[in-house]
Amino acid sequence: MEKIEHIGIAVKNLKEANVLFEKLLGVPHYKMEEVASEGVKTSFFKSGPNKVELLEATNEDSPIAKFLEKKGEGVHHIAFAVDDIVSEINRLKEEGFTVLNEIPKKGADNKLVAFLHPKGTNGVLVELCQEIKAM
Ligand code: ZN
């Protein structure tokens, strides 16, 4: 893995959280994006070379809605940038991790993503993400 790409934070109200994080980080969010397949609306902030992703549920079945119900607002996942998500998925499977998306799916911010089950990673939901390169 190359680096931490972003930290995902589950919030109840994206509009209010945008205002709060703008105050916290001193910069406005640079993009908002809905991932309908995941039932989430996201917004992204830059903090130096790092990014913060805020996530709001758009329906009750959204993984974010379930997370908020169980744990409340807070850090939801840590995303690591990878060069080749398919070979990284295979490597981690061989290492015994439970990969939730054996076939990477399209996530926010022009990325292919896959998640590791938090049961196998000390309770941390880990996201792998690979930039989708323009052909
Ligand atoms: Zn993420």
Side-chain angles (χ1 to χ4, degrees), residues 65-98:
K66 286 174 187 150
F67 179 88
L68 288 171
E69 206 173 284
K70 252 198 241 166
K71 300 193 172 168
E73 293 184 297
V75 173
H76 176 258
H77 64 270
I78 297 179
F80 293 92
V82 299
D83 225 13
D84 178 347
I85 196 165
V86 173
S87 72
E88 200 62 15
I89 286 170
N90 289 332
R91 183 183 75 81
L92 292 166
K93 269 166 61 185
E94 271 168 36
E95 293 285 3
F97 291 96
T98 306

Side-chain angles (χ1 to χ4, degrees), residues 30-130:
Y30 66 93
K31 80 155 115 180
M32 283 181 79
E33 192 178 338
E34 186 166 345
V35 184
S37 59
E38 290 295 295
V40 296
K41 218 194 268 173
T42 66
S43 87
F44 285 88
F45 288 80
K46 282 191 178 125
S47 167
N50 304 114
K51 291 184 207 162
V52 172
E53 172 186 37
L54 304 180
L55 304 121
E56 177 192 69
T58 54
N59 63 60
E60 285 171 10
D61 297 324
S62 159
I64 295 301
K66 286 174 187 150
F67 179 88
L68 288 171
E69 206 173 284
K70 252 198 241 166
K71 300 193 172 168
E73 293 184 297
V75 173
H76 176 258
H77 64 270
I78 297 179
F80 293 92
V82 299
D83 225 13
D84 178 347
I85 196 165
V86 173
S87 72
E88 200 62 15
I89 286 170
N90 289 332
R91 183 183 75 81
L92 292 166
K93 269 166 61 185
E94 271 168 36
E95 293 285 3
F97 291 96
T98 306
V99 179
L100 295 172
N101 318 95
E102 301 220 357
I103 296 162
K105 55 187 182 175
K106 183 140 184 348
D109 201 27
N110 195 40
K111 300 276 194 298
L112 279 176
V113 303
F115 289 89
L116 302 185
H117 200 292
K119 272 184 186 152
T121 50
N122 294 94
V124 179
L125 180 62
V126 171
E127 175 185 347
L128 309 174
C129 58
Q130 178 194 326

